[in-house]
Amino acid sequence: MNPYPTPHIDAAPADFAETVLMPGDPLRSKFIAENFLTAPKLVNNVRGVQGYTGAYRGVPVSVMASGMGMPSIGIYSYELYNFFGVENILRVGSAGAIGAHIHVRDILFGQGACTTSRYAHTFHLPGDFAPIADWKLLAAAVGHAEEMGLSYHVGNLLSSDVFYNDVSDLAPEAMPAARWGKMGVMAIEMEAAALYMNAARAGKRALAICTVSDHVVTGESLPAQERQDSFTDMMELALRTAADF
């Protein structure tokens, strides 16, 4: 049986490059394609989740939205890895900082991804799985960040299953973010752990690159429109990395 198209991606394997950038927001996917790729072609628009393929510095690259949360990126990354021949996925998204040394607009590389999700239970493992990034993607991306002179941090992210917590009655030091921060977790986002697990199971590569859009502790934040289309350093960094593979 021909598995194409899937319920979520109306395309064929030849429509995608081996490396895909995955922002959460479909409008950010469109922004990257139109502003960075040569001759971008819309290859998927099921449910408005826009996917494009073009070239960056002569290298074929695709960009497609993942939606919000681990269930959503879990579906799209699984299909890209297992049905469409994609080898590398770079998540390019936003994160809420926890660490005092991290600031809005800093770039974060998720060397690992803790999680509050039970996503790993779907793999029926006899213990706890530690989702990590691919070393080659991570090393290449950090190298490009150095070349570009960017402010960046490498470490653990927290992939949370929820955006709103009913914990207003807790003291500040007992808040979930503070407790994760005590373990050195840099920031909170909602997708990396599922992406890393799907990559591990498929024998493929993954890396989460996030720009800090707000700070959970200090309250500093960026407006929604700036989150959508102003993270250009992160986008260029991810594309330079994609061109290496």
Side-chain angles (χ1 to χ4, degrees):
M1 182 179 66
N2 188 342
Y4 319 113
T6 70
H8 315 98
I9 303 175
D10 186 8
D15 292 327
F16 286 97
E18 288 192 357
T19 301
V20 178
L21 271 61
M22 294 202 84
D25 187 348
L27 293 179
R28 194 177 296 160
S29 176
K30 184 174 186 287
F31 180 90
I32 294 171
E34 292 181 346
N35 288 275
F36 290 95
L37 299 185
T38 301
K41 176 185 176 183
L42 182 67
V43 296
N44 180 66
N45 199 24
V46 176
R47 296 173 178 251
V49 176
Q50 300 174 30
Y52 298 84
T53 295
Y56 181 78
R57 296 184 174 179
V59 178
V61 178
S62 296
V63 53
M64 191 176 82
S66 70
M68 290 188 290
M70 282 177 275
S72 186
I73 199 171
I75 290 170
Y76 290 113
S77 63
Y78 183 93
E79 293 183 0
L80 289 174
Y81 282 139
N82 293 284
F83 302 144
F84 292 92
V86 170
E87 296 293 326
N88 315 293
I89 295 178
L90 292 93
R91 160 163 158 66
V92 285
S94 59
I98 299 173
H101 63 295
I102 298 173
H103 304 285
V104 166
R105 294 187 180 85
D106 283 357
I107 288 177
L108 308 180
F109 298 105
Q111 185 177 22
C114 307
T115 185
T116 59
S117 171
R118 292 178 60 84
Y119 194 91
H121 288 250
T122 63
F123 298 97
H124 305 287
L125 299 167
D128 295 324
F129 182 75
I132 60 172
D134 176 77
W135 167 247
K136 290 185 178 180
L137 283 178
L138 176 59
V142 169
H144 288 299
E146 289 282 347
E147 293 169 1
M148 296 170 68
L150 303 178
S151 176
Y152 71 89
H153 310 270
V154 181
N156 239 333
L157 300 172
L158 170 64
S159 298
S160 176
D161 250 353
V162 296
F163 191 84
Y164 299 104
N165 283 311
D166 188 16
V167 292
S168 58
D169 56 336
L170 294 179
E173 64 274 9
M175 296 288 281
R179 283 178 279 171
W180 286 106
K182 290 177 182 178
M183 298 299 291
V185 172
M186 300 187 298
I188 304 173
E189 54 85 66
M190 301 185 73
E191 288 85 25
L195 173 62
Y196 288 0
M197 285 185 247
N198 278 359
R201 181 63 181 88
K204 305 295 181 75
R205 297 188 179 102
L207 173 64
I209 306 173
C210 295
T211 298
V212 176
S213 59
D214 60 283
H215 202 293
V216 176
V217 179
T218 68
E220 185 182 9
S221 65
L222 295 175
Q225 183 64 34
E226 193 168 348
R227 295 185 193 202
Q228 175 183 303
D229 57 22
S230 71
F231 294 168
T232 54
D233 284 341
M234 172 181 62
M235 296 169 186
E236 183 178 351
L237 167 65
L239 286 164
R240 290 189 186 192
T241 304
D244 291 338
F245 289 82

